[in-house]
Amino acid sequence: MISLIPQTKQWIMKEGAGFASAGPLAAELRLEREDPRLERQCHRLFPGVAVQVETASAGSGYSARIGRTDGQDAGSRKPADEQDWPMAAGKREGYRLRIDENGAAIWAPDAAGLFYGLQTFRQLMEQSDTMPAGTIADWPDTALRCMNYDLRQTYSKPERLVAYLADFARYKVNGLLIEYEDKFPFETYPELVHPNHALSREQFEELKREAHEHFIEIIPLQQSFGHLEYVLRHDKYKHLRETEKSLGELCPSREESYGLVTGLLAEMMDRHPESRYIHLGCDEVYSLCECEMCREQYDGVRERAFIAFLNRLIAFTADRGKTPIFWHDMLDKCPEEELSRLDKRGIAMIWIYNGRNIDSEVSALTLKFRKLGIEVMGAPAVRSFDWAEHQNYPVIVNRVDNLLQWTETSERLGIDCMVATNWTGPFSLGMPYGVFETTWYPMLLHADLCWNRGSDPATFIDRFLYQFHGIEPEVGHAKLGNYRIEDYYDIIWKLRDEVRLNRDYAELIAIMHDYEKATDRSRAIHKYLYRWELFPGDAAERRSLLNNYQRNHRGREDVRPRMRAALERYQPSDMAAHFVSSRFYLHDYLEKTIYRELGMNLEE
């Protein structure tokens, strides 16, 4: 089995010898327009390869050959006959790849397509010393295929945020939605910059530079209505809240609110000059129209207040040359007469993360917006609340179901941008959901399905285990028998001895599993404490409680230092400590209170 992520569209195997990749290689690039990124990518993907770059004639697109340095003249071969590639011809970001005994030849209409052809060739080289002869035609089904950095809670070290861009690009991701919050290096609002964890200007510039290097477009997200806790918590701005209790929700009736938000948006846009889009946020504005000013100005109609303020923001961003995006939810039930007032230059990003009716719900919303000339984008989730706030890795049954439903719906509706939201917490003042590094499995499923909506979900877990962990399907199944797409987090810790790639991620998941095993016993202690009230002083009852307590305590304390050490590979030390504290706080509190009161100990 050849395990590719994403799966390719068309692959015609040919008889005869394939390409033996052992030994010295040479790469030749012919580009219609110069793009130094491609030459650098060849050096990165094939270390030590001699790379020659030539300028091709106008209209010939981009091509590359990678062959042996033993005198074979692969460069004299003609491009693949267009009649063999009726579906690939001219597809943006598509490519055509031919492999024979002399090497590989790749053709593409643009630089990004050639880049993705190189990624496929690289995956093939990594799987065998001899690649099969044949031809591949491949192109994306979704134009903008995005991942998500949410920097509000616990997240990866800046150098890892940069390094992961190459991993995204390997799997043909070309967009990244970033919610910086107070981690953005604001210059006009220095009081909003986090004192410890904000990106430095140098780190921010490196992040943008590496995104461009890997053909990834950054979409900055600047909250502008709700989820502004990091702003409105400051005494300087708290008078702009809709109500005293609404810690993160802005009052749209105050002109100062508009001045604050447009100031934030202006700097965010100016610092992302290559980004076509700016995401305005605007979700979950729960207290809208609760203040007296808003009730009077908008007759108490929440949608009217929302649209009036949103229209000003859309106009502000569009006039500066950016396409504004907003979350859909505040307009979910909006009457058409109110919705018709919405500025058509904005794009509604529909986020629906759960339920069995994604198609009907998204279809109704898409029709509602498009009828008024408003385009839509889609946002499934690779990690979200899932009624499990302290999850340590995604609730994968929900995430797989959500991604598969969205894939069918986006194909039918022609939705051309899909963002895999990956939330670190419900909001900046909440408990962290989990660790970014445990989300690679659903992230790559999203990448697989966005590129090729016809990709086979039944083979994804085997392809992922091979691509990401180096576990061949026959090895995994020989050890564990059958498993399905939803079983990854249940099996990867059992396959640690077989893992050859990204072992540290598998170890992290194993540690989280050990934590959950220990804390499950803790819930049993809580549940049976009432028996001590029923049978005070009973020796058997005390022994039962003590046995459970001791097992639980030892299990938790065994996990705690391992969890902290594992997290510090990925996160700053104090951030890792914050995550560990969020997981152990309740248990530590019970130790200091009820367990001590009951005289629980480890010696008896």
Side-chain angles (χ1 to χ4, degrees):
M1 175 182 174
I2 297 176
S3 299
L4 297 177
I5 299 178
Q7 279 189 324
T8 55
K9 291 287 202 316
Q10 299 176 357
W11 192 338
I12 304 172
M13 296 288 193
K14 298 290 180 67
E15 293 184 1
F19 173 54
S21 57
L25 298 172
E28 178 184 291
L29 303 176
R30 295 182 178 179
L31 312 178
E32 181 178 298
R33 290 186 300 277
E34 182 181 8
D35 194 324
R37 293 178 293 179
L38 292 171
E39 180 180 355
R40 290 193 291 268
Q41 287 297 328
C42 281
H43 286 298
R44 289 183 181 184
L45 299 181
F46 316 114
V49 165
V51 180
Q52 179 181 347
V53 181
E54 297 179 8
T55 302
S57 58
S60 62
Y62 294 73
S63 65
R65 72 172 178 87
I66 306 168
R68 303 286 288 278
T69 58
D70 55 5
Q72 296 287 348
D73 186 15
S76 62
R77 293 176 294 168
K78 300 290 186 183
D81 191 338
E82 290 288 350
Q83 69 182 2
D84 295 334
W85 311 94
M87 296 297 293
K91 296 279 188 178
R92 187 174 181 272
E93 296 189 348
Y95 64 91
R96 296 171 289 161
L97 167 62
R98 183 170 69 196
I99 300 173
D100 61 24
E101 68 277 7
N102 294 316
I106 308 169
W107 296 270
D110 50 33
L114 189 56
F115 175 76
Y116 296 131
L118 288 167
Q119 301 302 320
T120 298
F121 183 69
R122 172 196 187 186
Q123 287 192 31
L124 289 170
M125 281 190 67
E126 291 170 346
Q127 296 191 42
S128 174
D129 290 337
T130 302
M131 286 178 284
T135 53
I136 291 173
D138 203 16
W139 63 93
D141 287 331
T142 309
L144 195 51
R145 309 170 296 280
C146 297
M147 295 302 177
N148 174 213
Y149 281 166
D150 174 17
L151 307 187
R152 296 176 302 166
Q153 281 278 348
T154 57
Y155 56 90
S156 309
K157 297 175 182 178
E159 59 268 27
R160 283 188 172 269
L161 296 177
V162 171
Y164 293 152
L165 297 172
D167 296 314
F168 293 157
R170 171 187 173 93
Y171 302 107
K172 302 182 176 65
V173 167
N174 67 350
L176 178 63
L177 177 69
I178 306 180
E179 183 164 0
Y180 295 97
E181 205 174 67
D182 56 352
K183 314 315 180 302
F184 187 75
F186 286 110
E187 294 179 350
T188 51
Y189 295 89
E191 68 274 16
L192 301 181
V193 177
H194 194 285
N196 300 320
H197 296 303
L199 298 174
S200 68
R201 186 175 184 88
E202 292 74 21
Q203 290 166 339
F204 172 69
E205 293 299 329
E206 183 183 14
L207 183 67
K208 291 193 299 179
R209 187 167 52 250
E210 282 299 299
H212 177 73
E213 188 74 8
H214 290 88
F215 294 83
I216 291 174
E217 178 177 6
I218 291 177
I219 302 175
L221 191 160
Q222 174 57 58
Q223 292 288 1
S224 52
F225 215 153
H227 290 296
L228 279 167
E229 292 83 8
Y230 79 101
V231 176
L232 300 180
R233 68 186 300 167
H234 292 272
D235 290 341
K236 181 178 179 180
Y237 301 112
K238 68 179 184 181
H239 66 286
L240 298 179
R241 299 174 188 170
E242 177 71 6
T243 70
E244 173 64 25
K245 294 180 180 179
S246 55
L247 296 176
E249 296 163 32
L250 201 65
C251 173
S253 297
R254 301 177 186 273
E255 193 61 24
E256 192 179 344
S257 296
Y258 177 76
L260 169 64
V261 170
T262 53
L264 295 170
L265 287 170
E267 182 168 355
M268 190 68 70
M269 289 187 285
D270 290 346
R271 303 278 289 278
H272 291 86
E274 294 185 343
S275 300
R276 293 174 293 169
Y277 303 96
I278 178 76
H279 201 306
L280 306 176
C282 297
D283 61 318
E284 299 181 328
V285 193
Y286 296 126
S287 63
L288 189 60
C289 264
E290 289 186 6
C291 86
E292 187 174 345
M293 290 178 62
C294 288
R295 285 198 301 269
E296 290 181 2
Q297 185 165 339
Y298 301 108
D299 298 322
V301 180
R302 290 160 54 86
E303 293 87 355
R304 188 173 302 165
F306 182 84
I307 289 173
F309 192 64
L310 177 56
N311 277 348
R312 296 185 72 187
L313 302 180
I314 290 174
F316 177 81
T317 53
D319 289 347
R320 296 175 71 100
K322 301 291 187 183
T323 300
I325 304 168
F326 58 91
W327 298 118
H328 87 282
D329 57 291
M330 291 301 296
L331 300 175
D332 193 353
K333 303 293 192 297
C334 183
E336 189 169 319
E337 61 195 54
E338 295 290 345
L339 190 61
S340 64
R341 303 177 185 181
L342 184 61
D343 191 320
K344 308 303 186 288
R345 292 174 290 179
I347 296 177
M349 184 170 282
I350 300 172
W351 63 277
I352 300 179
Y353 298 157
N354 285 288
R356 292 298 310 149
N357 299 308
I358 298 296
D359 184 72
S360 61
E361 293 180 39
V362 174
S363 297
L365 286 166
T366 300
L367 176 63
K368 182 177 181 178
F369 284 114
R370 286 179 173 172
K371 183 179 179 181
L372 298 173
I374 301 165
E375 195 44 71
V376 301
M377 294 175 170
V382 297
R383 181 175 59 195
S384 64
F385 177 60
D386 277 330
W387 302 279
E389 187 171 31
H390 55 284
Q391 58 192 275
N392 301 305
Y393 35 78
V395 181
I396 195 60
V397 173
N398 292 350
R399 297 304 99 228
V400 166
D401 180 63
N402 189 239
L403 291 168
L404 292 179
Q405 287 192 70
W406 260 106
T407 299
E408 294 181 3
T409 300
S410 65
E411 180 176 29
R412 190 175 61 78
L413 298 175
I415 296 176
D416 227 10
C417 171
M418 294 288 286
V419 177
T421 57
N422 193 341
W423 303 118
T424 61
F427 65 123
S428 61
L429 303 182
M431 176 186 286
Y433 285 157
V435 182
F436 181 85
E437 283 74 14
T438 66
T439 64
W440 282 107
Y441 184 72
M443 281 198 294
L444 295 199
L445 177 59
H446 173 76
D448 190 49
L449 295 171
C450 278
W451 180 271
N452 183 356
R453 291 171 180 151
S455 184
D456 183 8
T459 64
F460 178 76
I461 190 166
D462 282 330
R463 289 186 284 125
F464 179 87
L465 289 173
Y466 185 83
Q467 270 289 323
F468 199 75
H469 290 302
I471 302 174
E472 296 180 357
E474 54 270 24
V475 172
H477 289 288
K479 182 169 184 176
L480 299 180
N482 294 326
Y483 41 76
R484 299 180 301 175
I485 190 171
E486 302 92 348
D487 295 334
Y488 172 71
Y489 294 103
D490 291 329
I491 67 171
I492 187 56
W493 58 274
K494 300 175 185 177
L495 293 171
R496 277 176 290 176
D497 291 341
E498 287 70 33
V499 169
R500 294 187 291 113
L501 302 172
N502 295 313
R503 185 177 180 84
D504 53 340
Y505 299 151
E507 292 286 355
L508 177 62
I509 293 169
I511 289 168
M512 295 303 180
H513 174 269
D514 290 345
Y515 163 80
E516 291 169 356
K517 183 178 178 182
T519 54
D520 278 346
R521 292 200 184 103
S522 176
R523 285 200 291 273
I525 297 172
H526 304 165
K527 187 165 64 173
Y528 289 108
L529 281 177
Y530 81 98
R531 294 186 63 87
W532 190 243
E533 296 288 334
L534 294 176
F535 305 102
D538 186 286
E541 294 289 343
R542 175 172 175 78
R543 186 70 262 171
S544 174
L545 285 174
L546 198 58
N547 288 346
N548 277 287
Y549 168 78
Q550 290 171 347
R551 284 195 297 268
N552 169 259
H553 186 281
R554 291 182 179 119
R556 283 190 288 111
E557 293 311 306
D558 174 69
V559 170
R560 190 193 303 257
R562 292 193 290 128
M563 182 185 289
R564 174 73 179 268
L567 290 174
E568 287 184 347
R569 298 175 191 163
Y570 314 113
Q571 301 174 350
S573 180
D574 59 341
M575 196 177 288
H578 166 62
F579 185 90
V580 173
S581 176
S582 74
R583 273 21 186 197
F584 284 86
Y585 176 80
L586 172 62
H587 309 290
D588 292 344
Y589 178 77
L590 293 173
E591 285 286 345
K592 293 184 290 187
T593 55
I594 193 168
Y595 294 164
R596 182 178 298 174
E597 179 184 330
L598 293 173
M600 297 290 101
N601 61 74
L602 297 174
E603 289 76 31
E604 187 177 338

